[in-house]
Amino acid sequence: MERYRIRRLRAALLAFTAAGGLLLTGCSASDSGDGSSSSDRADGSTGFPAPDYSRGTGEQDSDSTDDESREVAPSPDYLSTFALDVDTASYGYARRTLADGQRPDPSTIRPEEFVNSFRQDYERPDGNGFTVTVDGARTDDEDWSLVRVGLATRGTQEQTGERPPAALTFVIDISGSMSEPGRLDLAQESLGVMTDRLRDDDSVAIVTFSDQAETVLPMTRLDGHRDEIHEAIDNLEPTFSTNLGAGVETGYATAVEGLRKGATNRVVLVSDALANDGDTDPDSILDRIDGARREHGITLFGVGVGSDYGDALMERLADKGDGNTTYVSDADEARTVFCEQLPKNIDLTARDAKAQVAFDPETVDEFRLVGYDNRRVADDDFRDDRVDGGEVGPGHTVTALYAVRTKPGADGHLATATVRWQDPKNRTPHEESGQLESDALDDDLWSANPRLQVTAVAAYFADALRRGDDRWTSLPGALTFNKLAVRADKLADTTEDKAVRELAGTIRQALHLEPQD
């Protein structure tokens, strides 16, 4: 079996856990009947006693050990903590790259963004907040399972007309590189369609940037001004170099000037993120507009375009800007982003959302979170609401997948998953938890819930594309591209999901690029 450089739960923890008051099993919750359960803690109280972090934060280097003969580096950590992430740009850009006949750079592969690109079947809450679903299934590797932690918000308010008005500042890259077909022209077409679909009480501002930035249209209500907005979009033309820093800074200044109380104020950055002029460091760029971000709650939604795309820069901007990213390569995807995904990102249901999964050392031997490399949070910062988390809107689901090796004959409680977030209006903290028992694990992954299988195929696909990345460690039960494509085709038939059918085709494109023996 591959060496899994993941956390080993040492036997010494057993005594500590017992002395700590059964911190993993002390959560009171109602049984949902499917092996998972949850309880709402609207006052921010914990689902189980807080761990003793003097034993270590748990984010240790898995390679660090004084014993070179150890196959898996020991760690006292039984907790996994990360900021929620609804980005999908990594999967979209990988699809575009493979369609162009090239393998994506392993450094651009973020498995969580592959997983979160597909629809899930989680139950949704009636009001604000999250539901927590925890399930899993056993792989072909002995004692190894895949465990899925699913978080879901209520349905999008766009469907009911209940959302607050939006004040959107579009920051549009018009540099020379945007002249390539499928960049600025695609953005213009999509923005035009979206303008027709926004409500009369929504507002739009337009900022463009190349070597310099310019406010083309100040914040303008849609009611009675749609033609003016269309004209501003249609007149955009590519020009010189890419001073992305100036564009973001001017965009936020325009958003602050046109700030609307009671509305959702958001900057929407449309760019290939190939910054080659001015400030190109995301931390420096966001530091300059930190006041607008924190004081006024203005968040960032990044839309990537182009066959050459500055993936790392766009991701860092979105992370630092309390937002998320996606990627579009054709007109259909662009319409989906601007007319379906963007409404989900107009409103927020949760700010600084973080998840923490506590594995039971009596039943779990090792575990590893798949992806979320740039979203890890120190375990003792889980309930520190000053520490940034992720921003989540209505209609979103967030999935985290774990590779878990259970102890031989393990029986009973396996894990508790807790999500913590702040109300976007008053910053009140809330928590919700779910449990997983050993008897809730399906005996075989490929006969489990079809949506869990889709999650597994997406993760295995990202895992295979990630070979060559220093962060890469093969998942247990991994399949070849050919077998993954067959699985995806069967799941497309079962789920009748076009996106899963496209996944099968994308996997086959990767297969054709594999070196032949």
Side-chain angles (χ1 to χ4, degrees):
M1 182 189 296
E2 287 272 359
R3 290 186 177 184
Y4 300 104
R5 295 186 302 162
I6 56 185
R7 296 169 178 151
R8 176 180 291 275
L9 303 177
R10 303 185 72 180
L13 265 177
L14 297 177
F16 168 69
T17 303
L22 298 177
L23 63 126
L24 290 173
T25 56
C27 176
S28 61
S30 59
D31 186 4
S32 66
D34 60 356
S36 62
S37 57
S38 62
S39 64
D40 186 14
R41 308 210 175 261
D43 61 357
S45 61
T46 65
F48 43 84
D52 179 0
Y53 290 110
S54 65
R55 300 297 296 265
T57 64
E59 293 301 321
Q60 301 179 6
D61 184 355
S62 60
D63 291 328
S64 61
T65 175
D66 295 330
D67 185 353
E68 293 297 331
S69 66
R70 293 179 189 266
E71 207 172 271
V72 179
S75 168
D77 185 22
Y78 51 88
L79 295 172
S80 171
T81 310
F82 59 94
L84 268 56
D85 187 0
V86 296
D87 293 354
T88 60
S90 177
Y91 176 65
Y93 185 48
R95 286 191 64 215
R96 167 66 181 265
T97 305
L98 288 165
D100 288 344
Q102 299 178 14
R103 284 287 295 270
D105 187 322
S107 67
T108 68
I109 302 299
R110 295 183 291 278
E112 72 277 15
E113 298 186 21
F114 280 56
V115 165
N116 282 307
S117 294
F118 296 93
R119 184 165 54 86
Q120 297 289 356
D121 55 358
Y122 309 136
E123 182 180 351
R124 294 187 181 274
D126 293 331
N128 288 334
F130 292 86
T131 57
V132 181
T133 301
V134 193
D135 60 6
R138 303 185 188 278
T139 72
D140 294 337
D141 284 1
E142 186 177 4
D143 295 327
W144 283 95
S145 299
L146 294 183
V147 169
R148 178 179 65 158
V149 176
L151 311 171
T153 60
R154 58 177 164 77
T156 173
Q157 290 176 312
E158 185 70 16
Q159 298 168 349
T160 63
E162 297 172 356
R163 71 164 173 84
L168 305 177
T169 301
F170 289 95
V171 179
I172 303 172
D173 186 346
I174 59 167
S175 62
S177 61
M178 291 291 288
S179 62
E180 175 191 303
R183 297 195 185 193
L184 182 57
D185 58 339
L186 184 62
Q188 287 174 294
E189 179 183 352
S190 305
L191 290 171
V193 173
M194 191 207 63
T195 298
D196 290 332
R197 296 195 181 184
L198 286 172
R199 299 187 331 208
D200 285 346
D201 60 346
D202 293 331
S203 301
V204 167
I206 297 176
V207 171
T208 61
F209 68 94
S210 53
D211 56 331
Q212 296 180 343
E214 177 187 2
T215 300
V216 175
L217 184 75
M219 195 63 70
T220 303
R221 294 282 183 111
L222 271 292
D223 185 18
H225 297 280
R226 292 182 195 269
D227 289 344
E228 182 181 351
I229 296 169
H230 275 296
E231 183 178 1
I233 294 170
D234 292 342
N235 287 337
L236 300 178
E237 293 183 354
T239 54
F240 306 109
S241 56
T242 309
N243 191 338
L244 191 147
V248 172
E249 187 169 12
T250 303
Y252 271 81
T254 301
V256 170
E257 186 176 346
L259 194 76
R260 290 181 57 186
K261 291 185 178 181
T264 300
N265 296 272
R266 181 166 285 247
V267 169
V268 182
L269 174 63
V270 184
S271 176
D272 58 16
L274 298 176
N276 56 20
D277 194 358
D279 194 347
T280 62
D281 177 68
D283 292 340
S284 174
I285 293 170
L286 268 298
D287 282 346
R288 296 206 306 270
I289 51 87
D290 195 57
R293 180 174 68 91
R294 292 185 177 276
E295 295 170 25
H296 303 293
I298 299 172
T299 54
L300 180 67
F301 181 48
V303 182
V305 296
S307 56
D308 293 323
Y309 168 54
D311 169 78
L313 177 58
M314 184 71 89
E315 186 208 11
R316 288 290 296 134
L317 283 171
D319 286 349
K320 290 283 290 181
D322 290 340
N324 37 60
T325 64
T326 190
Y327 176 87
V328 298
S329 61
D330 57 40
D332 287 341
E333 288 180 1
R335 288 192 183 94
T336 298
V337 166
F338 285 101
C339 300
E340 295 178 25
Q341 290 185 15
L342 186 56
K344 294 180 184 179
N345 289 282
I346 285 177
D347 194 16
L348 287 178
T349 58
R351 279 191 179 274
D352 290 325
K354 292 170 278 190
Q356 186 170 84
V357 182
F359 290 94
D360 194 327
E362 294 189 3
T363 54
V364 174
D365 201 18
E366 305 175 33
F367 66 91
R368 176 161 64 92
L369 174 60
V370 180
Y372 290 91
D373 301 311
N374 300 330
R375 307 293 282 167
R376 306 294 172 95
V377 174
D379 295 330
D380 52 355
D381 285 339
F382 176 58
R383 294 190 174 94
D384 186 343
D385 294 325
R386 297 167 299 179
V387 175
D388 279 348
E391 276 56 49
V392 183
H396 279 137
T397 62
V398 179
T399 299
L401 196 67
Y402 286 86
V404 177
R405 184 160 73 91
T406 55
K407 293 182 179 296
D411 184 26
H413 180 258
L414 290 179
T416 297
T418 303
V419 57
R420 182 179 179 87
W421 72 97
Q422 298 176 48
D423 184 288
K425 295 182 176 64
N426 55 32
R427 293 286 185 173
T428 302
H430 302 266
E431 288 190 11
E432 186 85 14
S433 292
Q435 314 278 343
L436 179 66
E437 303 294 319
S438 59
D439 58 6
L441 286 176
D442 283 305
D443 288 337
D444 176 55
L445 174 62
W446 304 117
S447 61
N449 179 315
R451 288 293 169 183
L452 173 57
Q453 293 185 55
V454 171
T455 299
V457 170
Y460 282 136
F461 182 39
D463 188 58
L465 291 173
R466 212 176 184 188
R467 294 181 195 132
D469 191 325
D470 291 339
R471 301 169 297 175
W472 176 78
T473 304
S474 180
L475 283 173
L479 301 178
T480 64
F481 283 132
N482 188 52
K483 290 182 178 179
L484 284 174
V486 171
R487 291 286 182 193
D489 273 330
K490 290 181 179 178
L491 288 166
D493 292 337
T494 301
T495 61
E496 298 182 346
D497 189 335
K498 178 183 175 183
V500 180
R501 183 75 67 194
E502 292 172 345
L503 172 62
T506 301
I507 294 172
R508 287 199 169 87
Q509 289 172 336
L511 172 62
H512 294 151
L513 295 174
E514 282 285 272
Q516 302 298 314
D517 295 333

